[in-house]
Amino acid sequence: MLGKTELHEAAASFIIQCYMELNKAPEEARDRLNGIASEIERTGTYVHTFEELEHGAKMAWRNSNRCIGRLFWDKLRITDARETESPAEAASLLIRHIENATNGGKIIPSITVFKPQTPGSETLRIWNHQLVRYAGYETGEGIVGDPASLSFTSVCRRLGWTGNGTDYDILPLVIQWGDLEPEWFSIPERTVLEVHLEHPDIPDFASLDLRWYAVPIISDMTLEIGGITYPAAPFNGWYMGTEIGARNLADTFRYNKLPLIAELMGLDTSSESTLWRDRALVELNRAVLHSYKKGRGQHRRPPYGCHPVPFF
């Protein structure tokens, strides 16, 4: 956390820009900064109004130069969850985030903002990289599921969660309050919209049972607004087709499905010079775009339930 002087400087920079963009009078910004200065001197921090939180989150997305979705920064929907006091309450809000952001397939860019870091108070930690993510298991026959999830899946299993051992098991939410033991909560399967991939010109493509979830909700990044840090602020925009087809399902260190697709297509895989990977990759990306456009999503089965468990 910043010291009082640094925090006041960061707050001033933010408030001046924020209030200018919101077409507020200079006098409002001056009065607000006077109030913030007094609050910082008294408590070592300050509290954003909802309007400041809302516009600050939008500004943060707009300034994220690695995200192509930031072009739609002003459409971001904010949920103020700063009053949340327990992992169970947080889990309920995160499940609602998944449902509302998914919106039946018409994705809404959203962010849910939990308590900020403040002197002497506990904060919430979300252990998941994304709210929705497939598990990964090491077996005698190789890795089942997502290799990128091996470590976190092991954590979940040590906490007491048990998956079905398939390629597409939805991992639970793992939430920790301060220094207390983390708790895990299953995501109701009806909440998760998945797209089962099919190809416009290869009828047997659907038999590969490839799928991916509809919404990427990043949950391990912090949000910083005017010197205030929000360590739990899960956020979603939209997927790019190639992120699913050319990375998640194609990378050799992820699902590595190109050999399977090449076999289905009858391609010569005896040498890289045949460019079989390139050809299979193009068709996989076509399948992703075709399937997501068609919107052939399926909600999952009823939930397992949720259980607080001791830290491993």
Side-chain angles (χ1 to χ4, degrees):
M1 288 181 286
L2 299 177
K4 290 182 179 181
T5 300
E6 293 83 0
L7 181 56
H8 186 268
E9 291 174 352
S13 177
F14 164 67
I15 291 296
I16 290 170
Q17 182 176 359
C18 175
Y19 277 45
M20 179 182 65
E21 292 184 6
L22 292 174
N23 296 315
K24 292 181 177 291
E27 294 78 12
E28 287 189 71
R30 184 181 63 244
D31 291 344
R32 175 63 176 136
L33 284 174
N34 288 335
I36 288 174
S38 298
E39 193 174 355
I40 291 174
E41 188 60 35
R42 186 175 68 257
T43 67
T45 187
Y46 72 100
V47 178
H48 289 126
T49 66
F50 175 76
E51 188 176 35
E52 292 164 2
L53 180 73
E54 180 179 49
H55 195 69
K58 292 179 178 180
M59 289 169 64
W61 191 18
R62 184 182 68 196
N63 294 336
S64 180
N65 57 16
R66 293 183 60 188
C67 181
I68 192 171
R70 69 195 179 105
L71 295 172
F72 302 94
W73 65 273
D74 59 336
K75 302 297 189 296
L76 183 65
R77 180 178 293 181
I78 287 80
T79 296
D80 184 354
R82 289 178 291 176
E83 297 302 314
T84 303
E85 293 288 350
S86 72
E89 185 183 357
S92 178
L93 288 167
L94 295 178
I95 289 167
R96 188 185 308 168
H97 182 134
I98 297 170
E99 293 173 339
N100 292 341
T102 302
N103 191 34
K106 297 180 179 178
I107 310 303
I108 298 173
S110 307
I111 187 169
T112 299
V113 184
F114 293 94
K115 277 184 178 293
Q117 288 181 344
T118 56
S121 69
E122 303 290 355
T123 55
L124 192 79
R125 177 188 172 190
I126 301 170
W127 285 45
N128 307 64
H129 168 59
Q130 294 184 19
L131 296 188
V132 178
R133 193 79 162 182
Y134 294 125
Y137 309 94
E138 289 190 274
T139 73
E141 289 72 41
I143 295 174
V144 174
D146 192 346
S149 296
L150 287 174
S151 177
F152 183 61
T153 302
S154 294
V155 169
C156 294
R157 296 176 78 179
R158 287 197 295 269
L159 291 173
W161 174 79
T162 302
N164 293 327
T166 75
D167 275 335
Y168 303 104
D169 289 353
I170 298 293
L171 286 162
L173 300 169
V174 176
I175 305 170
Q176 183 177 15
W177 184 261
D179 294 328
L180 298 178
E181 295 82 3
E183 303 176 31
W184 67 266
F185 303 84
S186 286
I187 300 173
E189 295 185 348
R190 63 179 179 271
T191 297
V192 179
L193 184 64
E194 296 180 291
V195 178
H196 293 246
L197 302 189
E198 59 182 41
H199 194 283
D201 302 320
I202 306 175
D204 289 341
F205 196 97
S207 69
L208 300 177
D209 191 31
L210 304 184
R211 69 182 79 168
W212 207 256
Y213 47 90
V215 191
I217 308 173
I218 304 298
S219 51
D220 62 354
M221 295 178 65
T222 59
L223 170 67
E224 191 275 325
I225 300 174
I228 301 296
T229 298
Y230 297 90
F235 155 83
N236 73 275
W238 302 268
Y239 263 126
M240 288 184 62
T242 50
E243 188 174 356
I244 300 167
R247 296 186 60 189
N248 298 338
L249 291 173
D251 280 340
T252 55
F253 53 88
R254 294 295 298 284
Y255 273 78
N256 193 28
K257 295 297 184 179
L258 294 186
L260 195 65
I261 295 168
E263 180 182 359
L264 178 71
M265 296 172 61
L267 300 179
D268 178 6
T269 61
S270 62
S271 171
E272 296 293 335
S273 64
T274 66
L275 301 183
W276 65 269
R277 290 187 189 276
D278 304 74
R279 295 170 65 187
L281 182 60
V282 167
E283 300 310 325
L284 174 54
N285 281 317
R286 285 188 67 197
V288 169
L289 293 177
H290 168 77
S291 302
Y292 271 71
K293 184 177 181 180
K294 185 176 180 180
R296 189 165 169 246
Q298 295 184 358
H299 286 81
R300 299 174 65 89
R301 297 182 298 278
Y304 292 118
C306 54
H307 310 274
V309 294
F311 187 44
F312 62 89

